Amino acid sequence: MIAKLDAKEAQGISAEKVAKTVLEAIEDAHTRPLYAVGSNAPLAFFARRVLPRTVMEKFTAKAYGLPSRPHGG
């Protein structure tokens, strides 16, 4: 898992892109509770709203090479 996290971090978002999003949030007349930064962030936010938690946990486990939790556990 640490190797996967390191690899994803190495491919991460630039500080400039994050700073631009923070400024957008500050200047937004209708501030939202969350701002998506990164190529998959909007999709992840949407999936989190519409999919059951267990499905999101399985996606996350697969993405990081972790075993899925047994159903109900």
Side-chain angles (χ1 to χ4, degrees):
M1 179 177 162
I2 297 299
K4 291 265 189 177
L5 284 171
D6 288 344
K8 288 188 180 287
E9 184 177 321
Q11 301 167 359
I13 305 156
S14 71
E16 291 82 12
K17 183 162 179 105
V18 174
K20 182 178 175 184
T21 304
V22 170
L23 286 174
E24 175 187 327
I26 292 168
E27 295 171 348
D28 196 344
H30 303 285
T31 304
R32 301 175 300 213
L34 298 171
Y35 286 77
V37 181
S39 60
N40 292 329
L43 177 61
F45 281 15
F46 175 75
R48 188 171 172 203
R49 283 194 307 267
V50 299
L51 296 174
R53 186 189 81 231
T54 55
V55 172
M56 290 301 296
E57 287 175 355
K58 286 179 185 178
F59 284 143
T60 302
K62 185 174 181 174
Y64 289 98
L66 300 171
S68 295
R69 288 187 352 188
H71 184 55

